[in-house]
Amino acid sequence: PAAPDCTKQDVFCVGLVTDVGKIDDKSFNQSAWEGVQKAKEDGIATVVQYIETTDSKDYDKNISTFGDAGYDVIVTVGFALGEATDAAAAKYPNVKFIGVDQFQAEDVPGVAGLNFPEDQAGFLVGALAAMMSKSHKIGSVLGTDAVPPVWRFGEGYRAGAAYADQEMGTTTEVFVVYHNDVGFDKTFVDPEWGAATANSMIDQGADVIFGAGGKTGNGAVTAAAQRGVYAIGVDTDQYYTLPEAAPRMLSSAMKLITPGVYDLIKMAKEGSFPSGNYFGQAGYAPYHDLENEVPAEVKAKMDEIAAGLLDGSITTNVPPVKP
Amino acid sequence: MTDNNIVLQAKGITKRFPGVLANDKVDFDLRKGEIHVLLGENGAGKTTLMNILYGLYHQDEGEMLVNGKPVKIKDPNDSIAQGIGMVHQHFMLVPVFTVAENVMLGNETTRNGFLDRKTVSAKVRELSHQYGLDVDPDALVGQLPVGIQQRVEIVKTLYRNAQILILDEPTAVLTPQEAEELFVIMRGLTERGVSIIFITHKLKEVLAIADRITVMRAGRVVGTVTPKEMTEAKLASMMVGREVILKVEKGQAKPKQEVLKVENLHVLDERGLETVRGVSFEVRAGEVLGIAGVQGNGQTQLAEALTGLRPVKSGKVIINGQDMTGKPPRPIIESGMAHIPEDRQRHGLVLSDTIVDNMVLCNYYRPPFAKGMVLQQEAMDAYARKLIQDFDVRTPSPFVPTSKLSGGNQQKVIVARELSRDVKLLIASQPTRGLDVGSIEYIHKEIVLMRDRGVGVLLISAELDEIMALSDRIAVMYRGQIVATVDSRAATREKLGLWMAGAHA
Amino acid sequence: MESNEEQEARRESSFQKRLKSAGSAMLVPVLAVLTAMLVGAVVILMAGGNPLYAYLGLFQGAFGSAKAWSETAVWATPYIFAGLAVALAFKGGLFNIGAEGQLALGAVVAAWIGYALPDMLEISLPAIIHLPLAIILGVLAGALWAAIPGALKAYTGGHEVINTIMMNYIALNMVSFLLNGPMKDKNPNNVIARTPEIAESARIPVIFEGFRIHWGFVLALIVAAIVWWLLWKTTLGFEIRTVGANPDAAKYAGINVKRTIILTMAMSGLLAGMAGAIEVSGLNYRHELGFSIGYGFDAIAIALLGKTHPLGVVLASILFAGMRNGGTRMQFLTQIPVDVISVIQALILLFVAADAIIRYIYRVRAREERLVLTRGWGG
Amino acid sequence: MDWRRFSVIALVIIILFSVVVLIGKTKDTPIVIITSLLATTIAVATPLTLGALSGIFCERSGVVNIGIEGMMLAAAFFGWLAAIYMNTIFKIAPLPSLIAGVVAAILTGGLFALLHAMLSITYKVDQIIGGTVINILAVGITGFMNRQLFFEKGSIFGGQVPHAPGVLPRIQIPFLADIPVMGRIFDQQPLTIAAILLVIVSHYVLFHTRWGLRTRAVGEHPRAADAVGINVIFMRYANVIIGGFLAGLGGAYFTLESVPSFEPLLTNGRGFIALAAMIFGNWSPFGAWAAALVFGASQAFQIKLQLFREVIPAQWAFLQNAYIVGLAPYILTMLILTGIIGKTTPPAADGVPYEK
Ligand SMILES: Nc1ncnc2c1ncn2[C@@H]1O[C@H](COP(=O)(O)OP(=O)(O)OP(=O)(O)O)[C@@H](O)[C@H]1O
Ligand SMILES: Nc1ncnc2c1ncn2[C@@H]1O[C@H](COP(=O)(O)OP(=O)(O)OP(=O)(O)O)[C@@H](O)[C@H]1O
Ligand SMILES: [Mg+2]
Ligand SMILES: [Mg+2]
């Protein structure tokens, strides 16, 4: 099966290069890829392909594999590919690059850094958690804080809880644990650690657990559901991606990667491709099964906070990068 | 011939190993209640034949009859069922098990699923009482002296009520006393109708104990004879196929300067027990000092301490005037010491390496074998070929791994290596253990030659004959101390035997 | 039999005869590789892919063009060093599973010398000093890291297999700590746990402009030759091999066994460290967390596939490098997940280790002694 | 038994725990903290315990097995896979599915063990190499199939992870679990409890039954065993496979008891730590279990410390650094192996193929 020739004008090809890690990570690699696939389903893209990076030294090689094949849009997932992407943009001037989680210090023509206000998402679920906790102890299990989005989630969560406390006049103890004690290869794919940590928090009295950080977070979320406390997911609405936790899934802190990627591909096709930073949306997922466990005033408060964050009347005071 | 007295008969047994015809149409029979000695050079095929009778190997041709009935013996279970028991040349005991556990292993007694150690211990006590094989069922085998371990092996076979008993070189590791005790036990067994096949290289023993003797050479049976018609010399030539000089020809020793001086030496064994307790002696150039003694009286640790393989607790070791106390092996070797180690396969050889590498094991790093740090392969090969020639090592090529050689030839490789170096002192531990008369004769000649060339020889051996044949002076070691030192001309087997047993001079 | 043993012997002397015997030595590994590829093809079929197409992609990606060759060499470089590290240890009767950690440490140190030294000394060093310094110190770090389990083995009998594995985790933690803290690239918009770029003066030049293949690859080949010479032509090699085969006899022969064990591990770690140092100064120009994951185990496979012989190691490295490198193109063309490469490599290792299987399938008669590399825990 | 060993273990655990209690006392009562620590310790020690038992059976019979890591990884995957199949394809209730999963995991372990047995016993492959082969093979196969089944479109699961049947339910041990605070310790999942029972069983099997005696004989002096008619080859195969079953059970812990999901490489070196536990335990079940608990404790220690990060006093600042605290189990292992805590002696014939 000879692949259609992407160099042709009428063939619109989209390639995706993962960070070191797999495309089926149920997290950002996968969400990004789903955005790409959606573009194909909607007939925007003719050909879509991905390449998984097995070693950081292959970033350039993998990107150029698409570049040389004449792809029109190349999605590079993860902050780690930032420089490789910028370099490639210089090498392939008429290719559009979408850099997921790549904060653009200065604009590079042809590169759109797709970023998200994770701190806001974290802030929302943090507030929710604080308001829903009976023991006034809540926990959060995250991947390494060396990754800014993760750090923003965690600190946002803290800030959100604090905000809720001052609103509600409560004092909530917040456990925030980053999985820093292993290498990069492991920190996002250590569900057992996530589970053990969540359990430990629950033993300590926490009754809401927010898991953020690939599979590690998933481990915490499912463990929480296991122990019957509230679980909060991350990135996508994990009510769907973690069915086993669904019954106790209170909400998810969402960064809408899939639509973000999709929109940028669309713009590229239509010739309205932006360069510099492009901010996707963040939000919190519906309560689903727990709809009627969440008191009306809490729901109201959440809407209020969401609105406040949007119009800037509420700020998380979380810097984009760990100081 | 259906002599209903014959309990075991092998007909035309043939066994081939890659490149070796170990057994060649061997006929052999064993009568009820007799002690039938099997004699032969190293590699003659004795062990192989026995392993076949016992079901460890399978003959390529030939058949076996027990009590006149043809039997198929697939594995030891069958032979045990046939009432055959074997005490192997290399002991078959689990050191970390107790005597009782070793004895029951293979047909254990259990009570509702769990091992019934009590009952077994009782049975062992009973047996050892009955046959005068004194062993403690609850002792750890690893901590028993070889002599006792041997008894355990025999108890093992009796526990399975063996009627036919195979003993493969049981006395190779025993002292005269222990051997005597063993013979008494064997007699006791035959009186109770047990029939025994007895393999040994020691001709004295053969004549002392055998009812009949079958001699093997190169896998064939040379003949079956009775002790009356035989002398040691006749037997020797029968198994080697030529005249053998059993008496070592050696002239008067001319002792010169001191090459080894040991002062009040104390040494610990691996269990931390002090097994050498204040030993002092000296060896002069041109003499052989023999150290006699029952196995496990500290000889091993003494030799290891002298050669730098084992730390010295206290005392002094002076070699050629240099203080070598607690020095590592290399400086000691370089000061002119050669060492034939007790355990040939553990210390003496790198079994997986070629004969060449083993021949230069101690001086690979000096010219002509090395220039600077670069090895000189040609020089090494030539040297090895020469030694193989001189010491008549039976091998297809200098490049075969020594693991392929018979123990006898393995020993020759070591002897060749050690005796060919220019040294002042030779420490030989059990240099001929388990070797056949041919090899023994040869090695003894070499040792005497060394002496006459003005080398001081320290000979450590449990073989009284060897000690008496080679030594100019004899020291007897007992419980880590030297209890007596005598001129060999003044020594008699009896006196030495007594000292070895602890009687004081 | 005598005669052909003798011939066997004389083979040593004549060179082209030796080539022949080398050929027959390689027979089994080659068959093992082919068989593994065959099984791999079945796996690809089951995965709904087209094996021919996939292997075509694999080959194109690995050796299909000058660029492909260059990239394969780039992959092969650390493999050769690390493979030699494991092979050398095997010869000394030691199993070094710690190449991973030793490699990472070598890389970190080389990187540190590479970027930090000029600022510290406040002078720009000439390449002639800076580059060798970076590599040598990196290499020493690896050697030291390996010497520790070596010493533990020599003096306490602690088994190197477990200890080197533990040292891997320790190294990984330390490196994570350094790259996230003290050594992290301070550049404001860097978010990655990695060091700054090393100075120009600490970089190994590429061989051909426009290709990534650098002189480190040539160095790897030279080092392989040196290792061979060391093991079979020098007294040190004799000592290493003797201790590996029978430590007791080695001691009896006056060889300093403890010293030799430590030395062997140190040299093994030195080679592993070189893999890391060269990777930094020749390719990445910095050390980054997550790099070097899995090199340790690949190195074991390579050492075995190469029958622990330096030449074999080089060939095996190029094969594995080709597979890793070509995997990208294979996936690009067929969307067959790269994991299939791991499966094939595992199968290769399986067939090489259990060459009896291969011998049985292809009726190849056993040639040399089975290689015994380790001795259980007894060590 | 080697009391020196056990007292050291007790000491280490006590020290680790007291540090946490001292730090966390402002946040919670010692009793709560210790309970939680113990609960975690026992739970996370499970795969280590089972892995170590696996190693003990293999090595007591004379086969070194460093493939435990791989066996657990493969078992974790296939056990989980079986559970999902049962649950989603055959529409079987969660609990039976999970039990089926456990069985599948055990069998997987056995299957890989069979491969190891063939390599090291029949083909006489260097046993440490054989184990390495198992490890690498397991990584390749699980990684590949995980991808094929749960990501590639058109696979039986339509390219996405289906609803997993969750994890094995907790079992409240009667009475004990009802103790007010401490009860939490006895509120554990089945495999954790099974592991502890298996420690006891293994001890009796190895040291007080015919099977055990023969197994140890084969591992100490196979020739002697052969000479009394024991089938060395059979005994080794059998014990290696038993070991495989145990490793398989250990693997089940990861995906059927701990979390209901599979990750490539999720065993993360536990198999090797299990080996260290086995050695430290001097190849005896109770010793190995104790050692496993130490590692469990140091893991619990790390986790708790991070909860109390902000209240760690200045003079102990280094404890705030997860990387440094993370070193605990590994350094511990090495100290253990240096024999500081007493020399260990492997079975004499461990790792030596048997040649007639
Ligand atoms: N397992 C084996 N494989 C190959 N060859 C063997 C094996 N066992 C014995 N042989 C060979 O068969 C021949 C006879 O060996 P055997 O052990 O029977 O001799 P032996 O009479 O017992 O010698 P010794 O007095 O040294 O015990 C020897 O050449 C030996 O090398
Ligand atoms: N696989 C083998 N290939 C070749 N020879 C072997 C093999 N296995 C054993 N042998 C040889 O077979 C002989 C018989 O074994 P056995 O244990 O009886 O020898 P041994 O008693 O140590 O020799 P010796 O009695 O001379 O000391 C030994 O010499 C041994 O070297
Ligand atoms: Mg014999
Ligand atoms: Mg013999």
Side-chain angles (χ1 to χ4, degrees), chain A residues 103-162:
Chain A
F103 186 82
Q104 302 292 303
E106 64 281 346
D107 290 13
V108 179
V111 180
L114 176 57
N115 295 283
F116 301 89
E118 291 87 358
D119 52 328
Q120 292 186 10
F123 190 94
L124 285 161
V125 294
L128 176 61
M131 291 187 287
M132 291 299 290
S133 170
K134 310 213 173 2
S135 64
H136 298 297
K137 288 183 179 176
I138 64 174
S140 173
V141 180
L142 307 99
T144 175
D145 58 13
V147 178
V150 174
W151 184 77
R152 290 200 290 267
F153 270 126
E155 298 314 304
Y157 186 77
R158 231 190 265 278

Side-chain angles (χ1 to χ4, degrees), chain A residues 22-24 33 50 52 173 177 180-181 186 191-193 195 200-201 203-204 215 226-227 243-244, chain D residues 27-28 36 147 151-152 163 167 184 253 258-260 263 265 268 270 302 304 306-307 322-323:
Chain A
K22 298 293 174 191
I23 193 147
D24 57 344
W33 175 236
Y50 66 81
E52 286 172 323
E173 185 178 342
V177 174
N180 285 342
D181 50 354
K186 197 66 202 161
E192 206 219 338
W193 178 89
S200 177
M201 289 174 173
D203 293 340
Q204 219 63 47
K215 319 265 185 132
Q226 252 281 304
R227 295 286 294 276
E244 60 270 17
Chain D
K27 286 216 162 199
D28 224 328
S36 163
R147 156 62 53 79
F151 181 72
E152 298 303 322
H163 190 307
V167 297
R184 165 75 177 92
Y253 166 86
S258 172
V259 287
E263 294 321 321
L265 305 179
N268 194 21
R270 295 298 199 308
Q302 294 172 54
K304 267 284 178 278
Q306 290 174 321
L307 296 196
Y323 296 112

Side-chain angles (χ1 to χ4, degrees), chain C residues 86 130 133 190-191 234 245-246 261 301 328 371 378:
Chain C
V86 178
H130 197 187
L133 195 67
N190 166 55
V191 293
T234 69
N246 179 350
I261 287 178
T328 311
L371 40 38

Side-chain angles (χ1 to χ4, degrees), chain B residues 91 93 95 97-100 102 134-152 178 271:
Chain B
F91 285 171
L93 297 169
F97 283 7
T98 65
V99 170
N102 267 291
D134 181 21
V135 291
D136 166 14
D138 305 322
L140 274 184
V141 164
Q143 296 176 353
L144 299 174
V146 261
I148 308 297
Q149 293 194 10
Q150 190 131 57
R151 292 181 184 173
V152 179
E178 286 174 318
R271 281 166 300 166

Side-chain angles (χ1 to χ4, degrees), chain D residues 51 62 74 97 130-131 134 152 240 269 281 317 325 330 333 342 348-349:
Chain D
S97 308
I134 300 281
E152 298 303 322
V240 170
V325 178
Y330 310 125
T333 307

Side-chain angles (χ1 to χ4, degrees), chain B residues 42 46-47 89-90 168-169 201 434:
Chain B
N42 296 120
K46 309 180 294 294
T47 301
Q89 180 170 357
H90 309 288
D168 189 353
E169 284 187 48
H201 290 301

Side-chain angles (χ1 to χ4, degrees), chain A residues 60-71:
Chain A
D60 306 297
K61 192 182 91 191
N62 295 351
I63 296 176
S64 12
T65 308
F66 285 123
D68 298 338
Y71 273 57

